[in-house]
Amino acid sequence: MLVERAREGDPRAVARLITLVESGDEMLPQVAAALAPYAGQAQVVGLTGSPGVGKSTTTNELVRALRAGGHRVGVLAIDPSSPFTGGAILGDRVRMQDHATDPGVYIRSMSSRGHLGGLSAATPQAVRVLEGAGCDVVLVETVGVGQAEVEVASLADTTLVLLAPGMGDAIQAVKAGILEIADVFVVNKADRDGADNTVRDIQGMIALGERGPGEWRPQVVRSIAARGEGIDDIAAAIDKHRAWLEQHDQLRRRREKRAAAEIEAIALGTLRARIGSLRDGTELPALAAKVAEGALDPYAAANELLAQIGT
């Protein structure tokens, strides 16, 4: 019933479904089964970058451009949560008030709840909810990330990495990590001093990469999102990448990898839950005691524990 209402555009039904996903409700398998026929119908675009580069402002302006093109848009904005209280200031939604009353836009702020990688553990299933709700494009804005948080690339069809002048020297542009996942680089706040140097450093990094014939070459786009400048260029770069994905059969491959990651995450979550239940019994403490006193090595103990889970 909730899925049917979400398909009809009821925002409360969409909110309820995402809440079920976030809470790991026992109804989640039923929800997933109801959403399965609508999988793969939305273009998923990830936006990531360091804190302060303008991700939320860029997302807001992209929503405006997509709505002008007649698209129904969903936004998942991930905010960091406190490691002490688990709470979060869901501030990304504050920057997107322009679209709060637009029935063609659904915006949901989600707490990372301690999950590493820039996303929330519930994000992949939340994307499925928005696909089921009829969104043509789903924008996923990550937590402000560092150099190694690259999980968004496994979720998105197209990944935008936002940069800003003054965020580092040329050495930063050739480090492994987040810069390697970009399909499109967006140098935001391009009216600042050093924007030309940032563009040149990124282009130099791209030139160092080895690519075979026909492989995608990341685009570099300038923008001033606070003034709405360069947003059409970003949208054009996203469309160009989408066309390349379809032409080279990469869209299907990316989505199959995404599905594999989802299946693995669900299976591992189930295993962790089973291991957690073993903590309340006698088997795990007994194995731990043997390992601590040197009577058993940890690998053998882990094998015994897995055997217990299997039964």
Side-chain angles (χ1 to χ4, degrees):
M1 182 183 67
L2 280 173
V3 172
E4 289 177 3
R5 285 168 48 199
R7 293 289 296 170
E8 294 169 358
D10 183 350
R12 293 178 180 172
V14 178
R16 177 62 179 152
L17 286 170
I18 294 180
T19 298
L20 290 176
V21 167
E22 286 191 286
S23 62
D25 192 275
E26 61 183 14
M27 289 178 58
L28 191 51
Q30 295 171 261
V31 171
L35 289 170
Y38 311 110
Q41 296 185 9
Q43 181 180 10
V44 182
V45 178
L47 296 92
T48 190
S50 302
V53 295
K55 295 187 298 298
S56 296
T57 305
T58 301
T59 300
N60 185 65
E61 294 303 317
L62 268 177
V63 170
R64 195 187 311 280
L66 290 166
R67 289 296 292 146
H71 295 290
R72 183 174 175 82
V73 184
V75 179
L76 295 174
I78 318 301
D79 277 296
S81 57
S82 167
F84 303 105
T85 66
I89 297 176
L90 304 180
D92 288 327
R93 193 158 31 183
V94 174
R95 295 188 177 93
M96 302 180 200
Q97 287 300 308
D98 296 349
H99 310 291
T101 59
D102 186 344
V105 179
Y106 183 87
I107 301 172
R108 174 73 173 228
S109 291
M110 302 176 69
S111 167
S112 65
R113 300 191 180 190
H115 186 76
L116 301 178
L119 300 177
S120 161
T123 305
Q125 292 301 316
V127 168
R128 290 188 177 275
V129 170
L130 293 180
E131 284 184 315
C135 292
D136 304 312
V137 182
V138 177
L139 303 177
V140 181
E141 180 196 331
T142 73
V143 169
V145 299
Q147 293 176 333
E149 288 89 349
V150 297
E151 187 174 346
V152 67
S154 66
L155 177 68
D157 300 325
T158 299
T159 302
L160 309 185
V161 172
L162 275 67
L163 306 163
M167 301 297 286
D169 58 17
I171 298 299
Q172 298 296 328
V174 295
K175 285 187 176 181
I178 190 172
L179 295 182
E180 292 182 309
I181 68 170
D183 299 306
V184 178
F185 287 101
V186 178
V187 179
N188 192 32
K189 305 182 181 181
D191 52 339
R192 289 185 176 181
D193 292 340
D196 291 342
N197 291 338
T198 301
V199 171
R200 185 166 56 249
D201 291 342
I202 295 301
Q203 289 174 335
M205 182 206 72
I206 293 171
L208 291 174
E210 295 183 3
R211 292 178 181 81
E215 288 190 25
W216 175 254
R217 182 183 176 88
Q219 306 288 291
V220 184
V221 181
R222 300 171 187 248
S223 69
I224 309 173
R227 301 208 297 252
E229 297 178 14
I231 302 302
D232 289 342
D233 293 335
I234 297 173
I238 293 171
D239 289 342
K240 185 176 180 180
H241 183 245
R242 172 64 179 249
W244 178 86
L245 288 172
E246 293 176 341
Q247 181 182 352
H248 294 82
D249 195 31
Q250 291 297 316
L251 187 61
R252 176 187 61 81
R253 295 181 184 181
R254 287 198 177 199
R255 291 182 172 179
E256 287 180 356
K257 287 178 67 176
R258 183 196 311 170
E262 282 186 70
I263 295 167
E264 182 181 357
I266 292 169
L268 288 174
T270 302
L271 285 174
R272 290 191 189 99
R274 292 182 181 177
I275 291 173
S277 66
L278 288 175
R279 291 179 183 275
D280 299 328
T282 60
E283 185 66 25
L284 185 56
L287 288 171
K290 290 181 181 179
V291 171
E293 67 186 21
L296 192 67
D297 69 86
Y299 287 93
N303 286 333
E304 287 192 32
L305 186 64
L306 289 172
Q308 287 289 323
I309 294 173
T311 58

